[in-house]
Amino acid sequence: MNVPGFLAAAGVECSKLVAQLKVRIMFVACLAGPIAFAVAMRVQSSVPSDTLFGRSVTESGFAVPLVVLGFAALWAFPVLASVVGGDLFSAEDRYGTWKTVLTRSRSRADIFAGKVLAALLFSLLSVVTVAVSSVAAGVLVVGPQPLIDLSGTLVSPAQALIRVALAWLSVLPPAFGFTALAVALSVGTRSSAAGIGLPVVAGLLMQLCAFVDGPEVVHRMLITSAFVAWHGLFVESPYYGPLVYGTTVSGVYFVVCLVVAYRMLRRRDIGG
Amino acid sequence: MRVLLGLVRRDAGAVRLLGCDLHSTAGPLPDGVAGCVETPAFYPYLSGRRNLSLLARLDGDNQIAASDAVGSLLEQVGLAAEADVAVGGYSAGMRQRLGLAAALLRSPRLLFLDEPTSALDPAGAREVRTIARRLADEGAAVVLSSHDMAEVEQLCSVLTVLNHGRVVFSGSIEELRTLAPAAVHALLRTSDDRAALDLASQRAGVKAQLVPATDDGGLEVSADIEALDAYVIALGREGVAVRALECRPRSLESLFLDLTRHDRAVDTSVVALPTLQDDSRASAVVS
């Protein structure tokens, strides 16, 4: 694999993604969703009090991105992380275009790395878009008031913004882990439905497992635990153990899924 | 052909293209080698021009040079007017032409074409043959795989006949003709073609079939020269006048069928497939 080849392949994948309607719709939803949520909270009289920071959603604009983050961790991130990664490889099977892209001046490693980079870029941009949109919506619709953290301590707006940014940053490793899982399923099954749908189902099953008593080691192996590791940032004495552990577990998912996916693609015969 | 293009792993042997060893399916296709396998496929939501531009980027071409090359190639293959239409709206023939343009984008010195005219109308097929001929004239080696023996005869100078994956002949068309049994093919016109056909069916070593009246009638006759002489004399004895006897070179198709007949007969009796010649194909080099 050489760097120009890998970057050329990533550029081609990004050009294809930009041309797809579903990708544009996803970004519009990522941008508009948090704004619609903030406006709805501002207009209605009740607040989502059973959600973390739900009670503060009309008192500090910095609570809005945290409520959105809590919701997205449960439902949206597995979808956002899989929607491109789970389709990039199987789409070549659907269109029959493997023989077209693999008979050019790029190796399979270049094509694989380019596609993975494009999928990771999409996951990164979608998470950043939701984060920026929800922070902007909170500050503009509710206001930049200080935030009361989980210990009941008042946090200054500047400090709250830093912690919100760190919280959103902390969900990138598990999001990338889900993207890698989607890539492996897309390569292995050659089906976009499986590539996108199975990671979402896996995410839901992991959430269910987290609610059930079971061996600690199983709970610790759940990549979804990393989506809620940011809670430790919003106490008087922040703790980072779950963040480090969650990032490590995400890294293991990422590496194992991508190695398996690459081996499958490398050994595959492109038949008729 | 998929093995040669690095799409399918080989079971044994080695692949060497333009002096480069193709070690595995994981590497890139060597520069100067291009191919078009079966019906070419492209991204249906992108235009023909955009598809080619992206493929040029994969080949490492810079954007300006690629844009010029893409425009010129689209014109060459007759797709200039539809260049900005999404490929999803293209006919099979248009995709075939776009596939050829995608292969030519690599400025090939060795071009593999797999059934390149199968989805084309006669005019489109003629254009593709012209391009293949021109590339060969410019020094490129064009390897054509086809079931259409007339096309092979028209385009190729060297051919290899494969039957169930085994080479049954490799050489020039002239060499193939010299290997053929000494049968003569002739067009025979008589005063009574039906009676001439009946007489042929009674004589060993003479095969005949009626030519449709729409093609001016007569009989196509295949026989060794001695058997043909005896047959013509017998026609006179039976009162059937010979009005014309025109000897013709054997068609490549009949030579191909001779080469693959034995295997087809065996396989047909085993699996009862009447069209097993689909497994036999000729690949040929236009040079």
Side-chain angles (χ1 to χ4, degrees), chain A residues 5 7-13 15-17 19-20 91-92 95-111 115 262 266-272, chain B residues 2 5-9 24-31 33-35 37-46 50 54-61 101-103 105-106:
Chain A
L7 289 177
V12 166
E13 293 306 323
S15 297
K16 281 157 53 186
L17 286 176
Q20 290 178 32
E92 305 287 356
Y95 298 134
T97 40
W98 277 122
K99 63 187 176 190
T100 309
V101 292
L102 293 181
T103 50
R104 315 305 299 187
S105 300
R106 302 294 165 212
S107 66
R108 290 196 186 192
D110 286 333
I111 299 291
K115 281 180 179 289
Y262 177 62
R266 186 185 160 89
R267 295 184 56 77
R268 189 175 154 189
D269 284 336
I270 308 298
Chain B
R2 286 176 188 268
L5 288 170
L7 294 171
V8 171
R9 283 170 296 167
S24 71
T25 54
L29 202 59
D31 285 343
V33 179
V37 187
E38 292 167 4
T39 309
F42 296 92
Y43 304 108
Y45 51 89
L46 297 176
R50 191 78 187 125
L54 293 182
L55 292 176
R57 274 169 76 181
L58 278 182
D59 283 334
D61 296 345
L105 202 54
R106 290 174 59 75

Side-chain angles (χ1 to χ4, degrees), chain A residues 16-229:
Chain A
K16 281 157 53 186
L17 286 176
V18 168
Q20 290 178 32
L21 186 62
K22 74 168 183 196
V23 173
R24 295 179 194 178
I25 290 173
M26 285 290 290
F27 272 107
V28 170
C30 287
L31 203 62
I35 296 169
F37 172 73
V39 170
M41 289 299 107
R42 182 77 176 164
V43 172
Q44 71 182 29
S45 54
S46 61
V47 292
S49 52
D50 55 345
T51 310
L52 218 56
F53 292 102
R55 288 173 194 279
S56 310
V57 85
T58 54
E59 292 160 9
S60 168
F62 296 108
V64 171
L66 296 175
V67 172
V68 172
L69 181 58
F71 171 80
L74 277 175
W75 308 104
F77 287 145
V79 176
L80 287 178
S82 311
V83 76
V84 166
D87 183 54
L88 267 188
F89 290 85
S90 43
E92 305 287 356
D93 289 293
R94 192 166 67 248
Y95 298 134
T97 40
W98 277 122
K99 63 187 176 190
T100 309
V101 292
L102 293 181
T103 50
R104 315 305 299 187
S105 300
R106 302 294 165 212
S107 66
R108 290 196 186 192
D110 286 333
I111 299 291
F112 179 81
K115 281 180 179 289
V116 169
L117 181 63
L120 293 177
L121 202 59
F122 175 85
S123 296
L124 172 70
L125 284 178
S126 56
V127 170
V128 168
T129 304
V130 181
V132 169
S133 172
S134 57
V135 170
V139 170
L140 293 174
V141 176
V142 181
Q145 301 88 345
L147 176 74
I148 298 171
D149 71 12
L150 298 174
S151 310
T153 310
L154 202 63
V155 180
S156 69
Q159 197 50 234
L161 182 61
I162 291 170
R163 290 195 199 179
V164 165
L166 284 175
W168 278 88
L169 198 62
S170 76
V171 299
L172 285 176
F176 289 163
F178 264 100
T179 301
L181 177 63
V183 163
L185 288 166
S186 177
V187 174
T189 63
R190 305 177 192 181
S191 154
S192 295
I196 298 170
L198 288 180
V200 177
V201 172
L204 292 174
L205 289 176
M206 286 187 206
Q207 311 260 7
L208 279 175
C209 273
F211 294 134
V212 177
D213 285 340
E216 180 64 18
V217 67
V218 173
H219 280 202
R220 287 185 154 236
M221 288 302 293
L222 301 176
I223 191 173
T224 43
S225 304
F227 279 133
V228 291

